[in-house]
């Protein structure tokens, strides 16, 4: 995925170590979506995806950091969000992105559902942690 944070993007960071922090991350993403002029439908999709990914980061990765910014690209204005944790990584990304698959603690819709709600989605994972990056464009 292209690095949309180069240039003049102002990045907002939210450390996530509790459910309260997940709520704070959601609010930061919502505010950026509103400032970026995303429609209410696109705001809802982005915030839902961000909520699922931040919750997953807390539950499976032990917490981490959410970074978000309003960005401009060839598609126009959008919101970039990444979720970084230092957890054990995702053993099988393809399986984790399959609807209905769960590690046993969820409904199996978090990653695949979040992927469907945004325009760009990327996962980088390994034994030292996982980064999920999403972008929702104002279309």
């Amino acid at each position: 995925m292209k690095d949309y944070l180069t240039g003049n993007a102002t990045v907002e960071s939210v450390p996530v170590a509790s459910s309260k922090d997940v709520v704070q991350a959601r609010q930061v993403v919502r505010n950026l979506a509103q400032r970026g002029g995303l429609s209410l439908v696109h705001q809802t999709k982005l915030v839902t995806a961000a909520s699922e990914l931040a919750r997953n980061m807390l539950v499976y990765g032990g917490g981490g950091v959410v970074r978000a910014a309003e960005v401009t690209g060839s598609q126009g204005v959008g919101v970039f969000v990444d979720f970084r944790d230092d957890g054990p990584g995702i053993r099988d990304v393809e399986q984790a992105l399959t609807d209905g698959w769960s590690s046993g603690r969820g409904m199996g819709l978090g990653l695949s559902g979040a992927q469907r709600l945004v325009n760009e989605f990327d996962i980088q994972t390994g034994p030292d942690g996982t980064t999920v990056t999403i972008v929702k464009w104002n279309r």
Side-chain angles (χ1 to χ4, degrees):
M1 176 180 286
K2 178 182 173 186
D3 182 5
Y4 292 103
L5 297 184
T6 58
N8 296 326
T10 300
V11 179
E12 297 189 43
S13 295
V14 178
V16 175
S18 71
S19 294
K20 181 179 173 183
D21 300 329
V22 172
V23 173
Q24 177 63 34
R26 282 176 52 116
Q27 190 58 47
V28 165
V29 170
R30 181 179 305 284
N31 290 343
L32 287 168
Q34 289 171 340
R35 278 192 301 220
L38 274 69
S39 71
L40 184 56
V41 170
H42 290 307
Q43 289 177 38
T44 301
K45 288 179 178 183
L46 177 62
V47 171
T48 300
S51 180
E52 286 295 319
L53 294 170
R55 187 191 66 77
N56 279 357
M57 181 179 66
L58 179 61
V59 171
Y60 301 109
V65 176
V66 175
R67 297 181 321 143
E70 184 179 332
V71 295
T72 304
S74 60
Q75 309 237 10
V77 175
V79 178
F80 168 99
V81 190
D82 76 9
F83 306 81
R84 296 175 187 229
D85 69 51
D86 296 323
I90 300 170
R91 211 179 325 192
D92 186 338
V93 173
E94 187 175 325
Q95 183 179 40
L97 287 169
T98 302
D99 282 346
W101 183 85
S102 174
S103 65
R105 294 187 254 178
M107 295 185 338
L109 298 175
L111 285 176
S112 62
Q115 183 178 31
R116 282 192 304 275
L117 293 171
V118 297
N119 302 112
E120 297 183 36
F121 183 94
D122 182 65
I123 296 178
Q124 299 297 316
T125 190
D128 296 328
T130 299
T131 299
V132 178
T133 305
I134 60 174
V135 180
K136 183 70 175 170
W137 295 107
N138 183 9
R139 297 186 193 177

